[in-house]
Amino acid sequence: MSSSPSPLHLAVALDGAGWHPAAWREPVARPHELLTAAYWTDLVTEAERGLLDFVTIEDSLGLQSSSATEPDDRTDQVRGRLDAVLIAARVAPLTRHIGVVPTVVATHTEPFHISKAIATLDYVSSGRAGLRVQVTARRNEAAHFGRRTFPPFRIEDYDTPAVQDVVTDIFDEAADHVEVVRRLWDSWEDDAEIRDVATGRFVDRDKLHHIDFDGRFFSVKGPSITPRPPQGQPIVSALAHATVPYRLVARAADIGYVTPHDADQARAVVAEIRAEQTAADRADDTLHVFGDLVVFLDDDPAEAAARRERLDVLAGHPYTSDARIFTGTPSQLADLLQELQSAGLSGFRLRPAVAGHDLPAITRGLVPELQRRDAFRRAYEADTLRGLLGLARPANRYADAAHA
Amino acid sequence: MSKPLKQIHLAAHFPGVNNTTVWSDPEAGSHIEFSSFAHFARTAERAKFDFLFLAEGLRLREQGGKIYDLDVVGRPDTFTVLAALAAVTEHLGLTGTINSTFNEPYEVARQFASLDHLSGGRAAWNVVTSWDAFTGENFRRGGFLPQQERYSRAKEFLATANELFDSWHGDEIVADPATGTFLRDAKAGAFEHRGRHFDIHGQFNVPRSPQGRPVIFQAGDSEEGREFAAAGADAIFSRYSTLDAGRAFYTDVKSRLAKYGRRTDQLLILPAATFVLGDTDAEAEDLAKEVRRRQVSGATAIKHLEFVWNRDLSSYDPDGPLPDIDPDVGDHHISQGRAQVRMYRDPLATAREWRELAAANRWSIRDLVIETGNRQAFIGSPATVAKTINDFVQADASDGFILVPHLTPGGLDPFADKVVPLLQEQGVFRTEYEGPTLRDHLGLAHPDEVRDERAAS
């Protein structure tokens, strides 16, 4: 079966010079500009040129590391980065259609601050904001805040009960975090600002709501200081590799990024998320499941393979990833995306191995190929990120309660 | 011997969530839409202002247990707006008020360092501290700080943030593709702070930003605030006062710098100032009076009287006489989330004084609130206002002003169009920006130069 059910969605994940650890050493890389506005503006503008749905921007509350659990003290890879929400805000006024989805770390941050920051990103982008929520159990990052500690663990111990308890807790906390962020977005009804000169009232305070969240990890009163953002609810997304994070996606997100390596795995992951979605009583909500892929894209497959090999030599070891690593041509990638789409994925978040090379290869190679197959948009069809993702502007949870 | 003319520093305060801002004006625009911020910032940059200033409040104000609805309510996130404004301006400094109580140093430092990178060196931080359980209810760590410790926390917060800013020196990133060395030092950004409020260590993840550290503001003029500013701030955001009081404050604060090994030009005094312009002084006076009436509606007058009376006065007629009953002097205050109410330390005396004033002048409640409220700092023709500002600065009553228009977003436009050219003609205000960073505009040295200077002396 080769016909695709509907156009697929495409996002690109931006991280420094690209996802391969030696990406910064490529001639097209701009390793001295990774902390400049011009660099990020160029990347997001290129993504918008390719009509992509959105970009995500990686972040962390510590220095990058090749280790999942601790700093690695390496000096041969990109280290140092800027706050992703602020990169998104800096780029938003210079773009018009593409969604901007920065990473926010739930574990050590205040949901009140995150909520108003993303609401404001939605205002400065006129309805194109989202967030990618991330958790961290890294001990070194916890020490940057000094408010809590995590037990030491090795990634090989991930499935042990002790580690699973920690993981379950931080994901439960993240779910509460997102719940507070979402309630705060709704804490102002859309028409709360009335500017009634006759009575002197700027707002109708009956349309401002305390959220009164009281959970295991924190309590937050509300309302937000920022009115409901243009999209009502900006997009919430999360990367997930296992049942606990799938559950977070199913409970709280609009998009889950998953890492199947073939169509069978994709089917299994989608089935698990759909089951969790039903269990979370969200079966009727649109929940996108996007496949994450690292891509080395060239017009000649041998060239892509050679480039990957050259980078691996520079890095000193073969590149590995949680996601499938694709090496080949735009046409081959289009085949793979359509195959995975037929297994239940509605879109893809591509991780360019080298931002300066593989991002333009996506926008100028893959996108036209998908368009030829009627599998991708030929022009932006909506003004908001929700619109691009086929999500309606949601009703306000408090408006219903107040006027029922 | 005449001393050389001082150059004036000017900044623009985005209209705030208080009754200075006249939202009922037909020309008043959104306080939330980015287009308002962009308009305001572009006007300030067109006029070659030093910087734009954003205030912050982390809980909507309440009075009598209900959300206060008579002023502008709501504002966007400070950092996010400033980062977006960096995209639509090139030179303008971007100053944000960020609370040291409801944040952690690592996060705030990385946000300011990021803003400084993304704006090419234009970030500034107005460090404020507040502690009230009311605002704390919005935060996971809102309840841990005893009120008396807020200054010590603010001091340690700033010191810790500075350690983070200084944890990178600026030469760590080699990024040499040939050798494969990205970082010169695997321990770049290492820090360790063991203090009473913060016990943190690790590696800061934002490399040194163009200004080294953001420009630091201290708001307010209390004894503790003055000392805090003298010890470590680059500028004070103070209240506007008379020329004489301004000179006294200026002299006092600048005299405190020496004991911290700092020169008098390393701390700028920038009071907030409102203004009303007219074609003539007389016309401006009339306009100013009209603006003051619009700032204090009958309903607003009753609410402001409640700040002192500390009880529900909604049954009183704003056009009638003051209440006969006395203020409630209990511990609980009718107004929450507002610094202003602390001004009335002896409500019984204030009430007595106001009754006498009202009786002597035949003032209604609304008249009294208008008359005892602040007059605009500068009222007059453009020439008069330019002269007043220049006289103030040349007399060392300030180094410039942070102007607070009463209209969003166009309230700064007439000042930019009519007053700034006069100051430029007099040679006391720049006609072009001389450098790219906010430190350049303010004449402040880069922290590395300051450190070298101290080391050499």
Side-chain angles (χ1 to χ4, degrees), chain A residues 192-205, chain B residues 18-19 21-25 67-73 293-301 303-304 338 366:
Chain A
E193 186 179 311
I194 52 172
R195 294 188 182 230
D196 185 33
V197 176
T199 60
R201 293 179 309 144
F202 184 81
V203 289
D204 176 352
R205 62 183 162 220
Chain B
N18 51 51
N19 73 308
T21 305
V22 181
W23 58 260
S24 57
D25 191 287
I67 289 169
Y68 191 83
D69 59 1
L70 300 179
D71 295 338
V72 168
V73 180
R293 275 200 91 69
R294 298 180 73 168
Q295 287 169 330
V296 183
S297 67
T300 297
K303 291 294 180 190
H304 280 223
R338 196 186 279 273
R366 187 177 179 203

Side-chain angles (χ1 to χ4, degrees), chain B residues 289-431:
Chain B
K289 200 173 167 188
E290 173 60 23
V291 169
R292 292 198 297 274
R293 275 200 91 69
R294 298 180 73 168
Q295 287 169 330
V296 183
S297 67
T300 297
I302 295 292
K303 291 294 180 190
H304 280 223
L305 208 62
E306 287 181 359
F307 296 165
V308 175
W309 260 257
N310 198 28
R311 57 169 85 233
D312 182 1
L313 301 177
S314 56
S315 61
Y316 287 82
D317 177 3
D319 295 320
L322 271 63
D324 292 329
I325 50 166
D326 274 331
D328 177 350
V329 293
D331 283 343
H332 177 79
H333 204 281
I334 191 166
S335 171
Q336 293 197 281
R338 196 186 279 273
Q340 191 178 345
V341 298
R342 289 199 296 267
M343 284 160 47
Y344 304 112
R345 296 226 158 85
D346 185 350
L348 291 171
T350 304
R352 199 159 51 237
E353 190 188 315
W354 282 7
R355 279 200 203 98
E356 287 164 12
L357 263 176
N361 293 289
R362 298 172 170 274
W363 284 341
S364 67
I365 289 174
R366 187 177 179 203
D367 293 335
L368 175 110
V369 171
I370 293 170
E371 296 296 334
T372 57
N374 291 328
R375 272 170 64 83
Q376 292 88 347
F378 306 124
I379 302 169
S381 67
T384 298
V385 169
K387 182 177 187 312
T388 310
I389 288 175
N390 192 31
D391 288 350
F392 222 90
V393 172
Q394 302 309 335
D396 283 344
S398 81
D399 294 309
F401 293 96
I402 298 178
L403 296 163
V404 190
H406 61 265
L407 275 183
T408 309
L412 192 64
D413 297 30
F415 190 96
D417 294 334
K418 294 173 182 166
V419 180
V420 167
L422 299 177
L423 294 170
Q424 289 169 330
E425 274 171 30
Q426 291 165 38
V428 292
F429 190 66
R430 72 175 67 82
T431 53

Side-chain angles (χ1 to χ4, degrees), chain A residues 24-25 31-32 34-35 37 59-63 71 73 75-83 85-87 89-90 93-94 106-113 116-117 120-121 123-124 140 143-148 173 177 188 195-197 199-203 205 208 210 218-227, chain B residues 23-24 28-34 57-60 62 66-67 69-77 79-81 83-84 86-87 102-104 106-107 110-111 114 117-118 137-141 153 168 173-183 185-187 191 197-207:
Chain A
W24 68 270
R25 299 177 67 176
H32 289 282
L34 303 179
L35 306 175
D59 206 353
S60 59
L61 295 175
L63 221 50
D73 285 346
T75 57
D76 63 335
Q77 300 178 0
V78 170
R79 295 292 180 264
R81 64 178 6 143
L82 303 178
D83 182 273
V85 174
L86 299 186
I87 292 174
R90 176 65 176 78
L94 305 176
T107 310
H108 300 292
T109 59
E110 292 283 358
F112 192 86
H113 288 316
K116 67 182 164 58
T120 302
L121 182 62
Y123 278 103
V124 305
N140 64 302
H144 294 161
F145 292 82
R147 303 288 172 207
R148 67 206 287 188
E173 181 190 9
H177 198 288
W188 290 56
R195 294 188 182 230
D196 185 33
V197 176
T199 60
R201 293 179 309 144
F202 184 81
V203 289
R205 62 183 162 220
L208 301 179
H210 291 129
F218 40 75
S219 57
V220 175
K221 182 77 179 174
S224 179
I225 59 165
T226 306
Chain B
W23 58 260
S24 57
S30 172
H31 287 260
I32 301 295
E33 296 293 336
F34 183 61
L58 296 171
R59 181 145 181 202
L60 301 185
E62 294 186 5
K66 290 178 176 166
I67 289 169
D69 59 1
L70 300 179
D71 295 338
V72 168
V73 180
R75 48 182 145 203
D77 177 65
F79 280 121
T80 312
V81 167
F102 303 112
N103 285 291
E104 296 292 338
Y106 194 91
E107 201 180 8
R110 71 191 299 274
Q111 287 169 311
S114 296
H117 278 289
L118 292 167
E137 284 180 340
N138 280 336
F139 296 95
R140 63 197 294 173
R141 289 186 285 268
R153 179 181 159 105
W168 290 74
I173 296 179
V174 183
D176 179 4
T179 62
T181 301
F182 187 86
L183 269 193
D185 175 8
K187 293 295 180 194
F191 68 92
H197 299 281
F198 307 106
D199 182 355
I200 62 176
H201 65 279
Q203 276 177 289
F204 189 50
N205 70 346
V206 184

